[in-house]
Amino acid sequence: MNTRTATRTLIFIGVLVILNIIASFFFFRWDLTSEKRYSISPQTKKLLKNLDQKMNVTVYLDGDLNSGFLRLKKATEEMLDEFKIYGKKNIVYHFEDPSDCENDEKRYENYRRLYEEGFAPIEVNEKDSEGKSIQKIVFPWAKIICGKDTAKVNLLKKAPGKTGYENLNISIENLEFELTDAIRSLTQKEIQKIAFLEGHNELPEIYTYDITQTLSKYFQIDRGIIGDDASVLDPYKVLVIAAPENKFTESEKFVIDQYIMNGGRVLWLTDGVKVSMDTISAYNMSPVLPSDVNLNDQLFRYGIRVNNTLIEDAQCILIPVAQGSKSGESSVDEYQPTSWYFSPLLQPVATHPVSRNLNLVKSDFASSIDFVGTSHDIKKSILLTTSNYSKALQAPLSISLEILDTPIEQLGLTESNIPVAVALEGKFTSVFKNRMKPKNIITSKEQRNESEPTKMIVVADGDIIRNDIRGTKGNMRPMPLGFDPYTGQEFGNRTFITNAILYLADDEGWFTLRSRELKLRMLDKTKTEKNKKNIQMFNILLPISILLIFGIGHFWWRRRKFAK
């Protein structure tokens, strides 16, 4: 090597050293993927930088995993690595294989311990190269410990109707949200309050027990009436109005209106019709009457109309119906599953974080919703709709179980995607604009005619938040919200209501993490299996060929250069 070449080499090495020293004083990352796959949100970065306690994360997704779970494991590890960059010493994680035990007895004991702690396993059935079935137990969970508190994170999302690859993709999309949700719950210093309104025959506490228990992880939950004090709702981040049956007074409407004008958020769950399942039979016609709780003008001013309609939908729950049959000389009643068209299974709209990647939502006697007004200050979004085969019947009308005998093609279900739940965000106009406030109102604030930027969600079915009850007085037991006792399915009601309230209470934009979308670029399994050997040979031989070509070319170039 001559002096000139040595000098150039030393200069190059010196420049690299200087660049590395300079880079050590600055932190930057480049994510060149189109969907920013390897980036975390500014809200997450802020949360991690402000941590003042250590988060010890244990991930149980480890061991002998198939390609899908390995992908989820890798994504979890990459996400935690990203968290560690911003959280520094306050983020500590490790992976643990629950199956890595000395013998079967200890392995099953480990499984039992994790299950009792709330980490439900899943069974994965696979086939090896010889076609033999293999059953594996996988725990797709993470545990985060902060001091004496623990949070569980379910890493695997299972959306009905989705393939395994799609569910894994959804799980990876939600990793940042699920992990930050757990960290936020562990570090939350000030507990926000939400209120369930009473005084208008709203759903009793036992019928909202399940959602109350779920929300207590995030909020302090109170219940009560409004009264005449206009400031009574000020301490609450969200007001929940769940299936009122009696009319609101003008004073109560004023208190709610001014709560909204001052930035309050409301989840309205109000029925468009009055009907009871208990009065419906095959022999009696049950009346379906318009519901009026004196909120129509208020909701109309905010940009919403809950119609006095009854939704009929081919996509609905099944109910057991007695079928008369004969067995010898004795008559036997057999119960057959039959579609009950007035309990639609509502479709979540994938474009909004509240309803994205959500299971179908069970409803009973739902109504339709219309957007009204032309205000450009209000952003309006649809959250839940009917299926492509539905219809809105105008009340008053009568219904009975005779509809179960009607062929579906004769029902005229020609409407599609009828809105049943919507979200509104922006600046709202007061329903009391250019009106005097009620005389008995006690307030020290000036009446506002336009709101601060705020948001609300309106659902045209109060039963969406209602959990069923089993047992009788003294032995009453609330069922999970969205659980269908006949089919044993659990629909997305609990997740929808939880998402709705978290979205309403969110000031920092953290909840928008649920909108994250990673494009699923899937291989054709048939083609890959058919051409498996060719693909393997190509992947092996191509890099070797490139190296050989480069080596031969470099050798030829050097030989030609020095031959001169």
Side-chain angles (χ1 to χ4, degrees):
M1 181 183 294
N2 57 35
T3 306
R4 190 175 180 182
T5 304
T7 304
R8 287 179 177 176
T9 304
L10 289 173
I11 292 172
F12 178 73
I13 295 172
V15 170
L16 285 178
V17 171
I18 293 170
L19 287 174
N20 274 281
I21 293 171
I22 294 172
S24 66
F25 292 99
F26 300 95
F27 173 73
F28 59 90
R29 294 171 72 81
W30 289 339
D31 186 351
L32 301 178
T33 57
S34 60
E35 64 265 43
K36 299 302 177 187
R37 182 183 295 263
Y38 303 106
S39 301
I40 59 176
S41 69
Q43 297 94 326
T44 300
K45 293 175 185 176
K46 181 180 177 181
L47 172 68
L48 296 171
K49 288 177 180 178
N50 292 334
L51 287 178
D52 55 6
Q53 293 176 285
K54 184 171 287 188
M55 300 287 153
N56 291 291
V57 186
T58 302
V59 183
Y60 295 108
L61 190 63
D62 201 6
D64 184 16
L65 305 171
N66 62 24
S67 59
F69 283 111
L70 281 173
R71 180 169 167 242
L72 180 58
K73 175 191 171 182
K74 181 181 178 183
T76 305
E77 188 172 9
E78 289 172 349
M79 184 65 67
L80 290 171
D81 282 337
E82 197 76 11
F83 279 22
K84 195 173 179 66
I85 290 168
Y86 297 96
K88 302 187 184 302
K89 295 181 180 180
N90 286 320
I91 298 292
V92 178
Y93 76 88
H94 72 278
F95 283 76
E96 183 178 307
D97 180 9
S99 301
D100 186 16
C101 298
E102 296 177 2
N103 51 53
D104 289 345
E105 184 179 348
K106 290 187 177 181
R107 183 181 300 111
Y108 295 136
E109 176 64 24
N110 197 31
Y111 289 167
R112 185 187 63 79
R113 177 183 59 82
L114 289 173
Y115 181 78
E116 289 177 352
E117 289 181 16
F119 301 103
I122 63 170
E123 293 183 0
V124 180
N125 296 303
E126 299 175 333
K127 290 185 178 180
D128 60 16
S129 58
E130 298 178 355
K132 295 180 181 179
S133 295
I134 301 173
Q135 186 182 74
K136 297 178 182 177
I137 303 297
V138 178
F139 286 83
W141 290 86
K143 177 171 68 175
I144 304 179
I145 299 176
C146 177
K148 296 181 180 179
D149 298 320
T150 302
K152 298 187 288 288
V153 181
N154 188 355
L155 302 175
L156 181 64
K157 299 296 178 185
K158 293 185 286 185
K162 302 286 187 181
T163 66
Y165 286 103
E166 289 173 326
N167 276 323
L168 282 169
N169 204 61
I170 291 170
S171 302
I172 293 170
E173 288 176 342
N174 279 273
L175 274 178
E176 184 179 351
F177 174 80
E178 295 295 336
L179 290 169
T180 54
D181 180 33
I183 292 173
R184 284 166 59 92
S185 67
L186 291 170
T187 58
Q188 195 172 16
K189 295 177 181 177
E190 183 179 349
I191 304 299
Q192 294 179 330
K193 296 181 180 180
I194 65 173
F196 277 73
L197 191 62
E198 293 183 337
H200 312 89
N201 203 25
E202 287 89 354
L203 289 174
E205 188 171 1
I206 193 168
Y207 285 102
T208 58
Y209 178 85
D210 186 77
I211 193 62
T212 301
Q213 291 298 107
T214 302
L215 293 171
S216 63
K217 170 186 173 183
Y218 305 96
F219 307 100
Q220 175 184 321
I221 302 171
D222 296 333
R223 304 178 68 94
I225 61 174
I226 290 178
D228 298 328
D229 185 357
S231 64
V232 68
L233 298 176
D234 289 353
Y236 298 100
K237 196 67 180 179
V238 180
L239 174 66
V240 181
I241 302 176
E245 294 182 354
N246 300 334
K247 290 189 175 184
F248 284 71
T249 65
E250 292 302 305
S251 297
E252 291 169 330
K253 289 167 63 177
F254 180 85
V255 172
I256 297 172
D257 177 80
Q258 290 303 297
Y259 168 71
I260 294 170
M261 293 304 108
N262 286 282
R265 291 89 188 270
V266 182
L267 173 59
W268 309 83
L269 298 120
T270 179
D271 295 307
V273 292
K274 290 181 179 180
V275 61
S276 173
M277 189 68 185
D278 297 334
T279 64
I280 299 174
S281 70
Y283 311 104
N284 298 320
M285 299 296 289
S286 179
V288 179
L289 303 174
S291 176
D292 181 14
V293 292
N294 195 29
L295 290 176
N296 292 342
D297 60 333
Q298 190 162 1
L299 292 174
F300 193 92
R301 179 58 67 93
Y302 300 151
I304 285 295
R305 178 172 57 224
V306 176
N307 298 309
N308 301 128
T309 56
L310 178 63
I311 295 293
E312 192 176 6
D313 198 336
Q315 182 175 270
C316 57
I317 67 167
L318 300 175
I319 59 172
V321 176
Q323 306 289 326
S325 65
K326 291 185 178 181
S327 176
E329 296 181 356
S330 60
S331 177
V332 179
D333 279 335
E334 295 181 353
Y335 286 87
Q336 298 292 335
T338 308
S339 296
W340 177 239
Y341 304 117
F342 300 119
S343 291
L345 295 176
L346 302 175
Q347 298 183 144
V349 176
T351 55
H352 197 279
V354 170
S355 48
R356 178 171 169 75
N357 295 330
L358 201 64
N359 192 3
L360 296 172
V361 175
K362 183 167 74 76
S363 65
D364 291 299
F365 307 116
S367 299
S368 60
I369 286 179
D370 289 335
F371 291 125
V372 294
T374 57
S375 174
H376 298 294
D377 293 332
I378 305 296
K379 178 184 176 183
K380 302 174 181 179
S381 307
I382 298 173
L383 304 179
L384 299 176
T385 71
T386 62
S387 74
N388 292 330
Y389 304 97
S390 56
K391 183 169 64 175
L393 305 173
Q394 187 66 45
L397 68 148
S398 298
I399 60 173
S400 75
L401 290 181
E402 287 184 355
I403 193 174
L404 302 175
D405 299 323
T406 306
I408 191 169
E409 58 270 12
Q410 296 181 16
L411 295 176
L413 305 179
T414 56
E415 299 178 59
S416 62
N417 305 123
I418 302 171
V420 177
V422 298
L424 301 96
E425 188 170 356
K427 294 182 178 180
F428 298 89
T429 302
S430 171
V431 70
F432 285 88
K433 183 179 181 180
N434 301 324
R435 290 172 55 184
M436 296 291 293
K437 68 181 179 183
K439 293 182 180 179
N440 54 335
I441 285 293
I442 303 170
T443 180
S444 58
K445 295 181 181 178
E446 184 178 347
Q447 180 177 335
R448 297 189 60 156
N449 293 324
E450 185 178 70
S451 77
E452 297 179 2
T454 187
K455 43 195 172 182
M456 64 178 69
I457 289 177
V458 183
V459 184
D461 179 21
D463 288 322
I464 282 178
I465 199 173
R466 179 184 184 274
N467 57 253
D468 289 329
I469 299 295
R470 281 188 179 176
T472 56
K473 288 185 178 180
N475 190 30
M476 296 177 73
R477 180 165 58 94
M479 302 301 293
L481 178 59
F483 178 75
D484 180 18
Y486 181 59
T487 62
Q489 287 181 276
E490 191 166 327
F491 295 99
N493 296 52
R494 183 198 293 125
T495 306
F496 172 74
I497 297 296
T498 304
N499 287 353
I501 294 178
L502 289 177
Y503 161 77
L504 292 174
D506 179 30
D507 289 324
E508 302 172 355
W510 159 77
F511 195 75
T512 58
L513 292 177
R514 293 198 78 255
S515 297
R516 186 172 187 175
E517 182 177 4
L518 302 179
K519 293 181 181 179
L520 189 60
R521 299 175 175 91
M522 296 175 61
L523 298 174
D524 189 317
K525 292 184 70 176
T526 305
K527 287 184 178 180
T528 53
E529 190 64 32
K530 183 179 179 181
N531 302 298
K532 182 178 180 180
K533 290 185 178 179
N534 292 335
I535 294 170
Q536 288 175 337
M537 293 297 293
F538 179 81
N539 286 333
I540 293 171
L541 294 177
L542 180 63
I544 296 174
S545 300
I546 292 173
L547 286 173
L548 285 173
I549 292 169
F550 177 78
I552 293 169
H554 183 66
F555 174 77
W556 176 82
W557 174 79
R558 283 177 57 85
R559 184 176 180 182
R560 184 178 178 184
K561 178 181 178 182
F562 291 108
K564 294 179 180 179

